């Protein structure tokens, strides 16, 4: 096994690594270190965060710094301020026992004067976000004419965020004979183009697979008619009261229209598109970043440069024409170990596009049913109950009104009071959805066969005919299909109201346990600390065999109920 000593790092670096607990090099470090230390070759590393890529480029950079030379020797460009700070901190740790090495991070959104002052101390290594760096270059505060090494870290994210022009301008300010290293989690054609134009005969190292979409994102699709697209969106949002998401549209006009209709229906939504002034755009983004806005409706172009990746959902109101754009969209969720859902609302003629995306991201979309009224009310009620049970009442503040409240309501029984509370909150929703039609449409037969993979289950109706004690409905559906599909068995999942789980999330958990295959799911009952799910016998044994899956960063276990 290769060690850091074998790779030839200076003893001071080895000491720092041993303190950091780095025992052996990770694959990307092992595969790039020798080339980086012993040759001048450029490198393209296809690697995600978590593979040790920072040390892969950081250790050779530290190893090569000459402290007595006072110009900037290495520059690392990162897409976000957070990564910029992280990388500079990591480099400082690796350089802990080497004397006189100065690392400086410069990034936007903070006072530029302090950074200008620090620049006068002649850092050897500069870690920067592109916009701020260009600003500093244009003010004559950064000179890259003697630069030795340039690193483009998370190149795909930088391009995704709209930094292409800035990067090219920065590259133009560096010497031709610089060495260039580029790291990227995916290799869309824009990133390949940068590599082709600015890197010379690079060594290519791939850790994991090219163009893979993030693992923690579930890809779901809902099928409806074009005319019901908006209503389907509303239902999906209604069934996820905790949603914090982006809705992607194809055009400015559609973005405006969808946002306007959402607002008119009382949703906490706004639009981001090219017609907004910078000030308006900043205002919308500030609200969204602070989560004072639940839904941001945007075009791909307008969304570039937005560094928000902690969404619970990404909704493709219309699928993008380019599969790479889908990767960018869906990459805004499922980060930092959290699970996210990327949803496509499609009509029956859009399966080709869906297949094309599946081919590129190497993931399968799982069909979900557009929730019916009962489902939505259940989700919302659950959310409401959770909010009430978790509420820490300001007893002192409320005490002033308690006498009157007791006088007016104290005579009601507990049941009556709860009934009235629920009715007060949900009457309008119940009324709204009272006779709401089923918005789902059957995918074309060819598609059903493809997706069911030989499974003769009738498909969708059974999944959503559950909840309450609607046994009658479900049995009727089964009889109608003339296919009883075997017996239902109950599986217990150790997650319930205590973790604010919703029926769609339970379905996602089961599907995950089934290897992202769409299982046939009967009734779901969500209790305080567990949920009971009806599954077919073969799915029950598959799920029990898997035993557990990760959900929202935590282990969720299955047991026979
Ligand atoms: P990165 O991919 O650069 O974000 O690194 C992911 C994490 O792995 C960071 O917390 C690093 O400190 C850590 N790390 C990097 N290289 C090694 C190594 N050789 N051994 C142990 N941990 C490492």
């Amino acid at each position: 096994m290769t060690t850091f000593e074998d790779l030839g790092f200076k003893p001071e670096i080895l000491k720092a690594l041993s303190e950091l607990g780095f025992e052996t090099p990770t694959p990307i470090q092992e595969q790039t270190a020798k080339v980086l230390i012993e040759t001048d070759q450029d490198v393209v590393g296809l690697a995600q965060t978590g593979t040790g890529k920072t040390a892969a480029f950081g250790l050779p950079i530290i190893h090569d710094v000459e402290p007595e030379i006072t110009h900037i020797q290495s520059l690392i460009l990162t897409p976000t301020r957070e990564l910029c700070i992280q990388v500079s901190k990591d480099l400082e740790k690796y350089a802990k026992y080497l004397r006189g090495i100065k690392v400086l991070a410069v990034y936007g959104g903070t006072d530029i004067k302090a950074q200008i002052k620090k620049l006068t101390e002649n850092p050897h290594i500069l870690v920067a976000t592109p916009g701020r760096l260009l600003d500093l270059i244009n003010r004559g505060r950064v000179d890259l004419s003697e630069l030795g090494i340039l690193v483009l870290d998370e190149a795909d994210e930088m391009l995704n965020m709209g930094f292409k022009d800035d990067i090219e301008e920065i590259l133009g300010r560096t010497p031709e004979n610089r060495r260039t290293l580029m790291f990227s989690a995916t290799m869309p054609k824009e990133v390949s183009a940068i590599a082709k134009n600015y890197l010379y005969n690079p060594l290519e190292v791939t850790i994991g697979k090219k163009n893979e979409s993030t693992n923690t994102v579930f890809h779901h699709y809902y099928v409806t008619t074009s005319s019901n697209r908006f209503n389907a969106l509303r239902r999906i949002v209604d069934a996820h009261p905790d949603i914090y998401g982006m809705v992607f549209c194809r055009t400015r006009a559609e973005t405006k229209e969808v946002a306007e209709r959402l607002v008119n229906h009382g949703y906490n939504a706004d639009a981001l598109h090219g017609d907004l002034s910078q000030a308006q755009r900043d205002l919308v983004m500030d609200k969204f970043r602070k989560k004072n806005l639940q839904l941001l409706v945007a075009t791909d172009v307008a969304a570039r440069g937005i560094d928000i990746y902690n969404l619970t959902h990404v909704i493709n109101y219309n699928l993008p024409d380019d599969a790479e754009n889908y990767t960018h969209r869906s990459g805004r969720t499922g980060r930092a170990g959290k699970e996210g859902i990327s949803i496509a609302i499609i009509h029956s003629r859009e399966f080709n596009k869906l297949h094309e995306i599946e081919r590129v991201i190497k993931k399968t979309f799982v069909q979900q049913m557009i929730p019916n009224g009962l489902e939505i009310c259940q989700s919302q009620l659950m959310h409401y109950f959770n909010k009430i049970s978790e509420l820490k009442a300001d007893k002192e503040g409320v005490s002033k009104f308690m006498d009157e409240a007791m006088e007016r309501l104290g005579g009601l029984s507990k049941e009556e009071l709860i009934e009235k509370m629920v009715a007060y909150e949900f009457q309008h929703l119940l009324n709204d959805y009272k006779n709401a039609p089923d918005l789902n449409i059957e995918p074309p037969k060819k598609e059903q066969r493809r997706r069911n993979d030989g499974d003769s289950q009738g498909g969708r109706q059974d999944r959503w005919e559950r909840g309450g004690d609607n046994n009658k409905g479900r049995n009727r559906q089964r009889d109608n299909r003339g296919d009883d599909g075997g017996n239902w068995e109950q599986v217990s999942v150790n997650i319930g109201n205590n973790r604010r789980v919703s029926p769609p999330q339970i379905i996602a958990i089961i599907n995950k346990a089934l290897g992202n295959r769409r299982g046939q799911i009967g009734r779901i009952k969500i209790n305080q600390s567990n949920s009971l799910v009806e599954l077919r016998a073969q799915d029950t044994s598959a799920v029990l065999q898997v035993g557990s899956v990760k959900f929202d960063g935590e282990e969720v276990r299955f047991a026979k109920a």
Side-chain angles (χ1 to χ4, degrees), residues 4 21-26 29 48-55:
F4 283 110
F22 289 18
E23 285 168 10
T24 49
T26 65
Q29 292 160 7
Q48 316 228 354
T49 299
T51 52
K53 66 180 169 57
T54 313

Side-chain angles (χ1 to χ4, degrees), residues 4 17 20-29 47-57 59 83 86-87 90 93-94 153-154:
F4 283 110
L17 292 182
L20 287 169
F22 289 18
E23 285 168 10
T24 49
T26 65
I28 185 125
Q29 292 160 7
Q48 316 228 354
T49 299
T51 52
K53 66 180 169 57
T54 313
F57 64 76
L59 295 175
L83 185 62
Q86 182 62 47
V87 168
D90 285 355
K93 284 182 198 154
Y94 309 149
D153 193 12
E154 300 201 352

